[in-house]
Amino acid sequence: MNRLVSYGCSWTEGEGADVSIESTLSPNEKRIFRNENSWPKFLSDKLNIPKYLNRGISGNSNRKMFNDIVKDIENGNVTSDDFVCVMFSSSLRDYVPYLPDGEWISWSVKHLLETPDRFYNSYDEHGVSSKFNNFLTKYKKFFVTELFTQDYYNITNQNYIIFLQKLFRHYNIKYVMMESFEKMVQPPLKNDFTNQIDKSTIYGGLNFTFRELLNMTNRKDIWEHLERHDTRATQHPNKEGYTIIASELYSFIKENKILCLKIRFIILRIYILEICK
């Protein structure tokens, strides 16, 4: 493999690696610093992959990263020479098709439960119509409290995963998927397509997130604010936390032999070239 390409949100970009340093940097410097102290960088080092491209963006939605992956492969910017890592974010960041364009639910379930009023307001000011925005704020509160269902996200997320897995196989691209801090598919499943999903390429098999893994350590020194994740609505891993994620992924990749076939192919090709001399 020549390059590791990662997609995700702030947990992939590397936000929180060292907040004291990040607060002193310009936006461009901050992104470079975060990337250099992110799990994709640490994982590429462990796998001895010489290059890495971090496509993680703070605040990114699953829909946005899904489309970025598809476009990158379609345009030839990602090929079978790359190893792709996808760390999914909160489903609630996707635009909701039955709300006006540009409207979504929340940064995460934890945010919505702890600070709901913050997310009832419109994200997209509709012109200068304060009357409409007032209606939309009231409707979003009604939507969240009376109409919200996980069923829509369960169907959407299963389709994201199935489409991407088939796309990766079509282009012979090795990959691994994972969940950062929220589960993509949650019971009860009224529409269960998980038999179409290859869980051997998904860390935790859709049952375990990296937030859960880090919380299990019961350590405060692996979080950006040096306190447990569940004490804040927003809390990212720091450099040490991202190191743990990289180590876990490295073990998962080795145990499931995700890169094994590609390596064997390269060895076989070298052997054939040697005997043909």
Side-chain angles (χ1 to χ4, degrees):
M1 293 294 167
N2 296 326
R3 186 178 61 164
L4 184 151
V5 184
S6 58
Y7 298 85
C9 61
S10 54
W11 277 53
T12 298
E13 181 180 304
E15 183 172 346
D18 190 319
V19 291
S20 62
I21 294 177
E22 290 172 55
S23 64
T24 68
L25 304 176
S26 69
N28 186 54
E29 291 172 333
K30 187 181 297 183
R31 178 166 177 79
I32 293 172
F33 175 80
R34 289 173 172 175
N35 285 182
E36 291 175 345
N37 293 279
S38 65
W39 65 260
K41 171 62 168 63
F42 301 145
L43 180 60
S44 65
D45 290 343
K46 285 180 173 293
L47 292 171
N48 291 318
I49 297 178
K51 300 177 183 178
Y52 76 99
L53 174 63
N54 192 325
R55 298 273 272 126
I57 302 171
S58 291
N60 214 5
S61 68
N62 291 334
R63 180 67 184 175
K64 175 68 164 55
M65 67 179 80
F66 171 84
N67 283 320
D68 285 344
I69 295 168
V70 172
K71 289 177 183 177
D72 284 348
I73 293 176
E74 182 182 5
N75 296 335
N77 296 324
V78 169
T79 71
S80 59
D81 289 328
D82 296 315
F83 178 51
V84 176
C85 302
V86 184
M87 178 179 270
F88 290 107
S89 185
S90 172
S91 303
L92 303 188
R93 298 182 182 186
D94 282 6
Y95 290 154
V96 181
Y98 27 81
L99 289 177
D101 287 345
E103 298 296 333
W104 43 287
I105 304 302
S106 174
W107 289 111
S108 68
V109 171
K110 196 169 190 294
H111 278 92
L112 186 61
L113 292 175
E114 295 184 3
T115 55
D117 292 345
R118 175 182 178 186
F119 300 100
Y120 295 149
N121 295 327
S122 171
Y123 293 106
D124 183 19
E125 291 297 323
H126 295 267
V128 293
S129 177
S130 58
K131 185 174 183 178
F132 181 80
N133 286 324
N134 182 52
F135 159 78
L136 189 55
T137 297
K138 292 179 180 178
Y139 184 83
K140 287 181 73 174
K141 182 174 183 178
F142 165 75
F143 174 80
V144 169
T145 57
E146 302 295 332
L147 299 179
F148 177 83
T149 173
Q150 178 65 29
D151 295 341
Y152 165 77
Y153 294 106
N154 283 339
I155 293 173
T156 300
N157 289 333
Q158 287 179 90
N159 276 278
Y160 283 160
I161 294 168
I162 293 168
F163 183 98
L164 289 177
Q165 288 190 334
K166 289 185 178 295
L167 181 67
F168 289 141
R169 285 197 292 270
H170 183 75
Y171 280 86
N172 195 30
I173 295 173
K174 299 298 179 184
Y175 68 93
V176 65
M177 295 179 175
M178 68 218 78
E179 299 168 295
S180 53
F181 51 85
E182 281 183 12
K183 291 183 174 68
M184 297 277 285
V185 181
Q186 301 179 26
L189 283 180
K190 294 183 179 179
N191 297 275
D192 189 349
F193 310 122
T194 54
N195 64 320
Q196 300 291 332
I197 294 175
D198 179 5
K199 294 183 180 179
S200 70
T201 61
I202 304 176
Y203 176 85
L206 296 178
N207 295 313
F208 199 64
T209 68
F210 270 110
R211 180 176 70 179
E212 291 174 299
L213 170 75
L214 296 181
N215 274 340
M216 285 175 60
T217 68
N218 205 31
R219 291 172 55 181
K220 299 178 181 179
D221 64 321
I222 60 176
W223 298 103
E224 61 181 326
H225 298 295
L226 304 181
E227 56 186 270
R228 278 182 56 84
H229 182 278
D230 52 15
T231 62
R232 286 174 173 259
T234 301
Q235 178 85 291
H236 298 91
N238 59 19
K239 181 179 179 180
E240 179 63 22
Y242 288 128
T243 301
I244 293 173
I245 291 174
S247 296
E248 277 292 312
L249 280 173
Y250 176 72
S251 297
F252 176 76
I253 290 165
K254 285 184 62 180
E255 290 170 5
N256 288 274
K257 301 178 181 178
I258 291 174
L259 292 177
C260 180
L261 293 178
K262 185 71 174 181
I263 293 171
R264 286 177 181 170
F265 175 75
I266 292 173
I267 293 173
L268 178 62
R269 185 169 60 184
I270 293 173
Y271 174 74
I272 292 174
L273 289 174
E274 285 295 321
I275 65 174
C276 289
K277 284 183 179 179

